[in-house]
Amino acid sequence: MTYVVTVDMCLPDGADELDALQQVGASALLEHGFDAVEAIEGPGGVEVDVLETIVAVHPRGSIVKVFVHASSLETAEDAVGSVAAEVLERSELLADWVVESSEVKLHIDLTRESLAAADGPDAPPSDLRARRARHTAGTGPGDATLAAPSHDGADDESAEDDESADDEEQADLEAQIRALAPRLISFDPRAPEGGEAAAIGSEAAELAAGALVYAAEVLIDELYDDVQTLADEETNVAECRAELWHLAELPPRYGLAYDELFARRFLVTAIALTTRFTDGSFRELGCLAEELVLKLLLQQAHSTLDLYGLLGDDVAEALGRFADEVYEDTDFEWLYDDAPDGVDEDPALAGAGITPTAIGTWFTPFDDDRYVHPYAVDEETGPRSTHD
C-alpha cells in the first residue's frame, strides 16, 4: 500500500531562523539526501520503496512529504523516520536539526470504516463533496475527533434530551476549534501594541482563528490529494475526469495550465504561506498564487464553521476582518470574471491600478522584499509549468 509520511524537522533550540538564502540551501540538501534513497530497510528487514519526496523549508525547519510503498503504516513511519534522521546526520550543515515527528496523517477511524464497508451499505459516499463533509465531521482540529452533531430520529419523549446533548456537543466542538487559535502565531492576541501582527480580540475572532488553523491542515491534505490525482491521470484540471478538492476552484479559464507541476508549486506555496501564519514570520502576501491560496483557505474555514453550526454573523465578520488585514487588494478577483481571454493580462490595466495577472507571473514576488518559496518561484532557473 502507498503511504504519505509527513516528516517535521526543526532547528535546534536557540538557533537563529533561516533567511531566504539559507532556506534555498537547506531545501537543496534535503532534496538531494532523500532523492538518493530508492528503498529503505524497515523493521524486521522489510523493504520500503521510496516513490517520491516533496520538501518545503520554512524559517524554523522543514516539512517533508515522503511517498512510500510499504506493508503497513507502522513500517512506513519507522522507515521514513530513520532515513530522515540519517539524511540530517550525513549533512554537516543540517546535523544539528531534529526530527520532531514522522507520521502518516491518516484519519484512522474513517480509513478502517471505509475498508470494512468496501462496497457494502456503509461504504463512504461516491460524491466528493459528500465525502468531504463526512471527512470533516469525523475528524477534528489537530487530529482530535470531532463528531458532527447528530440528529437521529428521536421520538417526542427524548427530543428535548437529544437537543440538550446536541448543544453540549456543539459547545465541545467550539471549544476544540477555539483552542487552536493560539497556533495562528502571526496574528496572536498577545502581540504588542503597534506590532506588525494583527490582534485577535473578541471570542468570535478567536473562533475564526482556530478555524483558520484547522482549515490549513485540511486544505494542505486535500491539495496533496489533488496533486496525486493529476499525477495518476497524467492530465490537467480542465481535462481531469476525477473530482478534485480545490484546484478546480481556481479561475477556470486557465484550467489547461493547471498540470501536475503547477499543482506541486501551488501546494508548496500553500505550505509556505500557512507555515508563516503559524510560526510568527508572516508579514505580507508574496505573490498572486498566495492570494489564491488565502481565498481557498478562507473558503475552507467558512465551510468548517458552517458544517458545525458555528458560522454566526460575528464570526463571519471576524474572518472578513482577517481577510482585509492580509489582502492588500483583490485584483485577483478579475481572474474569475467572464472577460475575454487575455484582457486580465493586458499591461494597459496597470494604468488603471490593476496588476496584470498572466499565469506565468502567479509565482513571481510582488517586489524584491516579498517571499516566495524557492521551489515555486517564477525564475529563469526555477521550475516552470509546461504551460508557462
Side-chain angles (χ1 to χ4, degrees):
M1 182 173 179
T2 299
Y3 296 95
V4 183
V5 182
T6 301
V7 184
D8 288 326
M9 306 178 182
C10 65
L11 301 177
D13 292 339
D16 294 333
E17 290 188 348
L18 302 176
D19 59 28
L21 183 59
Q22 289 171 325
Q23 290 178 50
V24 174
S27 180
L29 289 172
L30 289 171
E31 288 174 359
H32 177 75
F34 280 97
D35 287 346
V37 180
E38 295 182 358
I40 313 168
E41 186 174 305
V46 178
E47 187 172 275
V48 176
D49 296 323
V50 179
L51 307 177
E52 192 171 1
T53 304
I54 300 176
V55 176
V57 176
H58 54 83
R60 294 298 308 167
S62 176
I63 298 174
V64 182
K65 295 283 185 177
V66 185
F67 294 75
V68 297
H69 186 79
S71 58
S72 69
L73 181 150
E74 293 79 10
T75 299
E77 291 179 336
D78 290 345
V80 172
S82 64
V83 81
E86 187 174 342
V87 167
L88 295 179
E89 184 178 346
R90 289 184 176 182
S91 173
E92 181 180 349
L93 297 177
L94 304 178
D96 292 336
W97 284 36
V98 178
V99 177
E100 281 199 330
S101 64
S102 173
E103 59 182 336
V104 176
K105 293 189 175 180
L106 293 177
H107 302 289
I108 300 299
D109 291 339
L110 291 184
T111 302
R112 288 174 179 163
E113 177 187 342
S114 297
L115 290 173
D119 294 325
D122 294 326
S126 58
D127 180 71
L128 188 62
R129 295 191 181 276
R131 289 207 312 274
R132 176 187 294 182
R134 183 171 181 171
H135 161 85
T136 309
T139 59
D143 295 331
T145 299
L146 294 187
S150 59
H151 297 280
D152 296 334
D155 56 29
D156 292 340
E157 294 181 2
S158 60
E160 186 174 342
D161 290 340
D162 285 347
E163 184 176 351
S164 176
D166 285 348
D167 289 343
E168 291 180 5
E169 195 169 16
Q170 186 178 46
D172 289 342
L173 297 173
E174 180 176 351
Q176 290 182 54
I177 294 177
R178 192 186 302 278
L180 296 173
R183 299 187 191 178
L184 203 68
I185 296 176
S186 288
F187 304 88
D188 190 84
R190 295 165 296 181
E193 184 175 355
E196 294 192 28
I200 300 172
S202 67
E203 291 185 359
E206 187 179 53
L207 184 57
L212 286 165
V213 173
Y214 173 59
E217 179 181 334
V218 175
L219 176 65
I220 290 172
D221 276 348
E222 292 177 350
L223 283 175
Y224 270 109
D225 288 346
D226 284 355
V227 170
Q228 191 61 45
T229 297
L230 294 181
D232 290 344
E233 295 204 3
E234 298 181 350
T235 188
N236 54 65
V237 169
E239 298 172 338
C240 184
R241 295 183 179 181
E243 292 188 81
L244 298 164
W245 293 112
H246 296 286
L247 293 180
E249 298 176 18
L250 294 177
R253 73 178 67 182
Y254 295 108
L256 291 171
Y258 305 147
D259 56 13
E260 180 190 350
L261 181 54
F262 172 92
R264 292 178 183 279
R265 297 169 70 193
F266 193 80
L267 168 61
V268 169
T269 299
I271 294 172
L273 177 60
T274 54
T275 297
R276 300 196 328 266
F277 282 170
T278 55
D279 72 0
S281 64
F282 178 78
R283 295 295 177 268
E284 52 196 353
L285 296 174
C287 61
L288 189 143
E290 287 196 345
E291 293 182 326
L292 294 172
V293 167
L294 180 56
K295 179 180 176 69
L296 296 181
L297 179 65
L298 288 164
Q299 289 176 182
Q300 183 62 56
H302 276 88
S303 298
T304 298
L305 292 166
D306 189 40
L307 176 67
Y308 296 138
L310 301 173
L311 188 62
D313 291 342
D314 52 347
V315 179
E317 182 181 351
L319 286 171
R321 290 201 304 269
F322 172 84
D324 291 342
E325 178 71 28
V326 179
Y327 280 127
E328 296 176 34
D329 58 57
T330 56
D331 290 351
F332 68 91
E333 293 286 1
W334 281 65
L335 295 172
Y336 291 90
D337 289 347
D338 295 327
D341 288 345
V343 68
D344 55 301
E345 303 175 10
D346 187 350
L349 290 175
I354 300 169
T355 304
T357 50
I359 192 168
T361 66
W362 285 14
F363 299 94
T364 299
F366 288 137
D367 57 50
D368 292 340
D369 295 327
R370 308 295 179 112
Y371 175 80
V372 177
H373 193 280
Y375 181 89
V377 69
D378 287 312
E379 293 180 337
E380 291 300 322
T381 57
R384 287 180 176 271
S385 168
T386 54
H387 294 273
D388 279 358

